[in-house]
Amino acid sequence: MNSRPSILIIGAGFTGCALAHDLSLRGVNVTVLERGEIASGTSGRTHGLLHSGARYCVTDPEAAIECITESRILSQIAAQCIEYNGGLFVALNDQDLAYSAAFEQGAQATGIPIERLSPQQALQREPNLNPNLLAAYTVPDGTFDPLRLALAFAATARQNGAVFLTHHEVQALHADGQGRITKLTAWNRHTGQQQTFTADLIISATGAWAGQIAAMVGASTVVKPTPGIMVAYNQRLVHHAINRLCPPDDGDILIPQRRMVVIGTTSFEVENPDYIPITAEQTEQMQRAAEALVPAIANTQRRGVYMSARPLIVSGSSGRSLSRTFKCYDHEALDGLPGLITITGGKATTCRIMAEKTADLACQKLGLSAPCRTKDVPLRSYRLYYS
Amino acid sequence: MPTLWKITLEILRQRQNQPPHVELFELEVDPDENVLDCIERVWAFHDRSLTFRHACHHSTCGACGMRVNGVEKLTCITPVREVTHPNGVLRVEPLRNFPVLSDLVVDVSGFFQRMEQTQLSSIAPLSQAKLPFEPNPPTIWQGQRLIDCIECGLCVSACPAANTSTSYFGPAVLAAAQHVYRQTNNPTVMQLVNCADGLWRCHSAYECSAVCPSNVDPAWRIMDMRRATVAHSLRNIFKRPNQKVAP
Ligand SMILES: Cc1cc2nc3c(=O)[nH]c(=O)nc-3n(C[C@H](O)[C@H](O)[C@H](O)COP(=O)(O)OP(=O)(O)OC[C@H]3O[C@@H](n4cnc5c(N)ncnc54)[C@H](O)[C@@H]3O)c2cc1C
Ligand code: SF4
Ligand code: FES
């Protein structure tokens, strides 16, 4: 089967794993190189909200439509790692309440089913909510297990022939005689040895690190690492994802996960996302915002605090917008560097569509006409990644 | 600013297929920082060759299990102050009873394959996700959640029986079988663990439940599965004469 086109993917977060799955289904020979473990970058450390899109239905309808469509698909194909219990948007003061008209309109315009609850109805569903709430809306949010979601994509890709090389750090990209980027050098961190790999195309799915990979060949820098903090508490105080009814803000979401609740998140910029220190101020700020929604947080023990960096698209950067929320950089068109593509931005919730759009572009470049099938293919058990 | 502690991180290191050695890293840490943060910091600023497993950093993925000063810990939720003192030592080693791929990375593939054989679903209705002797959630709380076992392997590392036999299924797999059996009554999963390398290899050391970071109580589940298996066999003994008459 030497005639099958080959693609190297750098990075095994949600994007790289979903892309490996998509391309393997289309008959491409896929090898994924990841410098750590699966999902050891941003993906593992995500908040874990399967976004219904309601969070964005007023400020960014296009993102909202993408989320409602994709969260429904994921709840079907990846049900094995999703708590699909719905969410609530909660109004705590008059200002929140004043947002409800825009919220109702936005939800309707983007096709997100919501239902208004009285304070009594909301408290009946979630007795730990702030008893002074003024109103609430149900939304179809969910919660996912981050590692298992990534593993489920990777497991299915592996069953279809993709190869995953974890603990392999890409250190250099190389051009062939015609100036095509077709080769890379990776450092096998298990053995300490370097190895080169070649393929027809190289796709960087390195999230907040995409700028570092692009810089290896002088390609345009594209993302700004934008971290946020999350705090986990060791009691499952709620069973719905609890959102504040207001424009998106710091610390306004509380999600259940296993026996925990996890609150998040903030947003600020850093240069290097390799290690992001956690500050007590941010943790406190986060906790205060969450206490307003669920006062019992104040008496619940903290279990973990963590931080990760969004790959925020630098606005005005000249990549091809496959959507308002994520971007694909065709470095052939951008920098005269054929062979290299970068996919970055987006959300966990939208990783499947990110993969679909990127695989479409890759297949077009390789002259392959295979259509995307990932909408309808249920993911195999995440444990089969280790088969 | 918190008062920082000077500590010595002693990491048991090893390249693939080479003998292990200990390497020391002197660090200044916030005692409320978790052990995994210290390890990630060593990788980020001191030695890029250090390998370790991690993903979620909040005890939901199960990847970061290691031995810390001789005890199995989920390092992402283990604050430094719980396991050492100012000017103290933190010795970090890979989990036992798993093959080591390099440094702190163990090969979990055999473990996951056995977990898969039990067909344990990682999602369950709230009433079935907890231990049977815990109170039921209020009826208003319907819905489902991710189950407690995060497949971290701490119990396997701590288990003295797993230490003497590589073919032993280990506590997590037996606990998973119990969980599936109590949900489904399916005899296939009972057959899977009703063997010398399964339920009957455990010699009730209870180390598994002592180190489990996630309320699974594998020791209780193994005992419960033994009870169920014995009861099932007894029922079959008494059924046998009838079965002979039946055709
Ligand atoms: C604080 C925060 C909260 C979030 N919450 C949510 C949420 O609730 N719901 C939601 O849907 N989305 C959420 N997101 C967004 C989502 O987590 C990210 O969009 C997603 O994880 C990005 O995945 P990725 O695969 O593109 O990047 P990553 O997961 O970062 O993957 C990139 C991979 O590349 C690897 N890599 C880097 N350099 C190299 C190299 N040289 N060689 C080999 N490999 C390399 C890294 O190790 C990493 O694993 C959140 C993001 C943040 C920051
Ligand atoms: S039973 Fe507990 S210790 Fe064992 S793998 Fe599951 S969560 Fe980890
Ligand atoms: S990193 Fe996920 S459990 Fe510790």
Side-chain angles (χ1 to χ4, degrees), chain A residues 32-289:
Chain A
V32 183
L33 297 139
E34 162 59 55
R35 69 177 179 184
E37 199 59 56
I38 300 282
S40 57
T42 301
S43 296
R45 275 172 262 193
T46 189
H47 193 183
L49 178 66
L50 185 72
H51 278 279
S52 62
R55 214 336 114 248
Y56 313 110
C57 71
V58 176
T59 50
D60 191 346
E62 198 185 325
I65 292 170
E66 212 168 72
C67 283
I68 184 68
T69 313
E70 289 302 313
S71 63
R72 283 187 174 132
I73 296 173
L74 284 187
S75 73
Q76 294 296 314
I77 65 170
Q80 55 177 311
C81 44
I82 298 173
E83 300 180 3
Y84 205 43
N85 294 328
L88 292 176
F89 273 70
V90 179
L92 294 179
N93 58 29
D94 290 337
Q95 204 184 338
D96 295 352
L97 212 50
Y99 195 65
S100 37
F103 185 73
E104 284 181 19
Q105 269 167 22
Q108 199 185 7
T110 51
I112 300 167
I114 61 169
E115 187 196 333
R116 185 163 172 146
L117 303 180
S118 68
Q120 293 75 16
Q121 287 170 318
L123 284 166
Q124 210 171 21
R125 289 197 191 201
E126 289 290 6
N128 282 324
L129 281 180
N130 186 335
N132 301 322
L133 82 154
L134 300 176
Y137 290 90
T138 61
V139 299
D141 282 345
T143 305
F144 58 87
D145 176 307
L147 176 58
R148 284 170 180 77
L149 180 60
L151 282 178
F153 278 107
T156 317
R158 277 204 62 209
Q159 300 296 310
N160 293 316
V163 173
F164 283 76
L165 299 173
T166 52
H167 300 282
H168 278 63
E169 179 164 331
V170 173
Q171 295 188 311
L173 303 174
H174 314 280
D176 66 9
Q178 282 84 50
R180 260 188 93 75
I181 314 285
T182 51
K183 195 157 109 177
L184 59 78
T185 307
W187 175 37
N188 178 340
R189 295 166 69 237
H190 285 315
T191 61
Q193 254 126 47
Q194 283 187 330
Q195 202 182 334
T196 57
F197 296 81
T198 51
D200 298 316
L201 265 184
I202 296 178
I203 306 181
S204 164
T206 44
W209 292 269
Q212 294 181 8
I213 299 291
M216 289 177 183
V217 282
S220 333
T221 299
V222 291
V223 289
K224 187 95 206 155
T226 313
I229 190 171
M230 282 131 308
V231 189
Y233 294 80
N234 70 358
Q235 253 196 76
R236 192 178 166 95
L237 295 169
V238 293
H239 294 289
H240 298 79
I242 308 295
N243 304 253
R244 181 89 182 247
L245 184 68
C246 64
D249 197 6
D250 280 356
D252 57 355
I253 305 178
L254 220 137
I255 66 158
Q257 193 180 60
R258 295 191 202 276
R259 288 187 192 234
M260 297 177 277
V261 293
V262 186
I263 65 177
T265 176
T266 48
S267 185
F268 57 101
E269 291 185 355
V270 298
E271 284 304 321
N272 181 357
D274 275 358
Y275 183 87
I276 309 159
I278 287 159
T279 64
E281 301 81 72
Q282 283 206 32
T283 316
E284 296 304 324
Q285 177 205 344
M286 195 70 353
Q287 172 152 338
R288 275 193 302 277

Side-chain angles (χ1 to χ4, degrees), chain B residues 111 148-155 172 212-214 216 218:
Chain B
F111 173 64
D148 291 325
C149 181
I150 53 172
E151 298 162 299
C152 63
L154 297 196
C155 55
C212 176
S214 202
V216 178

Side-chain angles (χ1 to χ4, degrees), chain B residues 36 53-64 74-76 150:
Chain B
L36 180 60
R53 299 180 68 232
H54 64 127
C56 73
H57 290 237
H58 69 286
S59 78
T60 210
C61 80
C64 69
L74 214 49
T75 52
C76 68
I150 53 172

Side-chain angles (χ1 to χ4, degrees), chain A residues 14 24 49 72 336 372 386:
Chain A
F14 295 129
S24 313
L49 178 66
R72 283 187 174 132
C372 175
Y386 297 105

